[in-house]
Every structure is written in C-alpha cells, then in structure tokens.
Amino acid sequence: VPGGLYVIEDLETNYWLPGRRVYGYKLKNTGIDTDAGHSAVKKVEQLTKALMRFQLGAQGLTVMPGDGDICSVEWGHNLVKIRKCTEEEAAANPTWKTPIFDPQEMEAWIQEAQRTNPRV
C-alpha cells in the first residue's frame, strides 16, 4: 500500500545469545556478528543502503522485491520503522545520477544481499 508504515520491534533479540527464549521460541543464529540471513537488523541495514540508489546512479541496487517502494527507514529503541513512498513521493523521486561506484564491487554486494533474503 503506498504510504504504508511497517514497524519491526524487539530487535534487541538479534543480539541475544543463541538458546535464549522469547515468546516461547528458542532463538538460534543470533549474536552481534550474525549475517543478514539470520538478522533482521542486518537485513534492514541492507535496505537502508538501497535507498541511495538514485544518488549513486545505481539502478540495479536492489536488495529484495519491493525495496524500490521504500522512502525511509527510521531506527528507534529496539525497533525500526520502514515507510513506503506515497504515490506523490514516488512520482517525485530524484533523477538518476551518473554512476559513481565500482560496478564489480556493487554487483558483489547486491548478490550477497539478495542471497541472505528470507525464503518464502
């Protein structure tokens, strides 16, 4: 939905020791160094980088389907808010800049980011 707001809370659990329990579930693959395939924090950090695609001239900079609809990511205490663009904001996206990045480095980063997407 254009302009939709998504809130993910309890992000502190991404850093807990494996084996801890939350809401009746036993945590695994947690900790400060966990990769984006197992950490909501790391995955949203990747989405945050994708917001810079226009200014970098990186039309292929996408982490997961639908990330082009995101207008902002705001971090708070143990939560993150992801806001989708309204129709007006999407129409007013900046123009693409001349690419100012290493294409091979960008492609490697994109492939790694997409590799860690949740499997649906």
Side-chain angles (χ1 to χ4, degrees):
V1 175
L5 180 67
Y6 303 88
V7 179
I8 304 169
E9 57 184 346
D10 297 331
L11 291 177
E12 74 279 5
T13 60
N14 285 251
Y15 302 105
W16 288 2
L17 291 171
R20 300 285 308 260
R21 291 192 170 276
V22 61
Y23 305 121
Y25 296 96
K26 187 175 181 180
L27 298 176
K28 59 181 180 178
N29 300 317
T30 55
I32 195 83
D33 289 327
T34 301
D35 67 33
H38 297 99
S39 170
V41 170
K42 297 279 176 78
K43 182 50 70 177
V44 175
E45 286 173 350
Q46 291 175 340
L47 291 173
T48 302
K49 291 177 182 179
L51 288 175
M52 295 179 256
R53 63 173 56 93
F54 289 102
Q55 291 76 10
L56 295 175
Q59 295 187 34
L61 179 51
T62 181
V63 173
M64 59 181 18
D67 64 8
D69 297 331
I70 296 173
C71 262
S72 67
V73 174
E74 181 182 346
W75 296 90
H77 184 74
N78 297 329
L79 61 82
V80 65
K81 296 187 288 187
I82 301 170
R83 191 175 61 78
K84 290 179 75 174
C85 299
T86 64
E87 291 177 3
E88 295 79 21
E89 288 171 322
N93 272 335
T95 57
W96 291 101
K97 304 292 183 196
T98 302
I100 53 171
F101 56 89
D102 179 315
Q104 292 172 325
E105 183 179 35
M106 180 67 73
E107 183 59 30
W109 186 90
I110 291 168
Q111 287 179 9
E112 175 61 17
Q114 292 175 352
R115 182 190 66 75
T116 59
N117 284 343
R119 289 172 177 58
V120 221

